[in-house]
Amino acid sequence: MTLEKAVNDSNAFYLAHHIAVVHKKPTPIQLVHVDYPQRSLAVIKEAYFRRPSTTDYNGVYRGYYLDFDAKETRNKTSFPLKNFHQHQVTHLKECLYQDGICFALIRFTTLDKTFVYPATSLLVDWDHYCSGQKKSIPLTKIISDGYEVHSGFNPRINYLTGVDQLIAASQQ
């Protein structure tokens, strides 16, 4: 199961149980050419991205605005920063400025470990990446700065336990 599918399933569980309202943001595309042999058989032949998207998910939990991106890697010791894009980091920074709860949900597929990694830490890592000082975030830093969350049946990934810890840390 991909991280995105697991997060979408978790969000459906949270919504059904009135715990949180979090949705995946659609990617803005411009259709150029569509074949319509029949309406039910329409096929997109050509399309392009209208503009860079921001992050993958946003919503509301316990009165807090959430904004986050979900990323995964097969690496065992670090997370490559090239998996993020400047427009995503800028968006997280702007949401933090408005007191949003912002993070990256990072999954190490080979290790079967998932973390809520605060955007405040990601911004520092990103600055080091842009200045050529580092290319990845060491797993040890993700463990120390982030919050490990666990997989289960329902929700598939209980990332809100990490969000609760992130909220508590932001109030200190």
Side-chain angles (χ1 to χ4, degrees):
M1 177 176 287
T2 67
L3 178 59
E4 183 178 309
K5 171 89 168 93
V7 173
N8 291 343
D9 289 350
S10 299
N11 290 341
F13 174 84
Y14 293 144
L15 184 62
H17 290 85
H18 308 289
I19 297 169
V21 179
V22 180
H23 294 286
K24 181 159 178 39
K25 296 183 214 173
T27 304
I29 61 167
Q30 175 69 46
L31 299 177
V32 177
H33 179 68
V34 181
D35 281 347
Y36 285 102
Q38 294 177 2
R39 183 165 178 80
S40 63
L41 299 175
V43 177
I44 298 171
K45 295 290 189 175
E46 186 180 351
Y48 63 91
F49 297 109
R50 270 194 227 161
R51 63 188 179 284
S53 185
T54 54
T55 51
D56 292 334
Y57 296 92
N58 69 350
V60 179
Y61 170 60
R62 292 181 30 214
Y64 293 95
Y65 173 76
L66 302 181
D67 205 294
F68 65 99
D69 211 69
K71 305 278 188 188
E72 55 190 333
T73 184
R74 290 185 160 288
N75 289 4
K76 294 180 182 178
T77 59
S78 65
F79 185 84
L81 282 160
K82 69 179 180 180
N83 290 342
F84 287 98
H85 303 285
Q86 182 64 57
H87 63 274
Q88 294 172 319
V89 176
T90 300
H91 176 75
L92 288 170
K93 186 176 183 179
E94 291 298 324
C95 290
L96 281 172
Y97 183 76
Q98 297 299 326
D99 293 327
I101 303 298
C102 305
F103 58 95
L105 189 63
I106 298 177
R107 177 155 180 76
F108 289 83
T109 57
T110 307
L111 303 175
D112 193 26
K113 292 188 175 289
T114 306
F115 299 88
V116 167
Y117 190 65
T120 51
S121 295
L122 177 62
L123 293 176
V124 172
D125 299 325
W126 185 257
D127 286 345
H128 291 143
Y129 174 70
C130 291
S131 67
Q133 295 177 40
K134 65 175 6 181
K135 292 185 178 187
S136 62
I137 309 167
L139 175 59
T140 54
K141 185 173 188 295
I142 292 172
I143 290 170
S144 69
D145 289 8
Y147 308 97
E148 186 172 1
V149 295
H150 300 285
S151 300
F153 179 66
N154 269 323
R156 297 290 304 158
I157 297 178
N158 194 4
Y159 68 85
L160 290 182
T161 59
V163 171
D164 286 335
Q165 291 175 293
L166 193 56
I167 291 169
S170 73
Q171 295 174 341
Q172 293 179 353

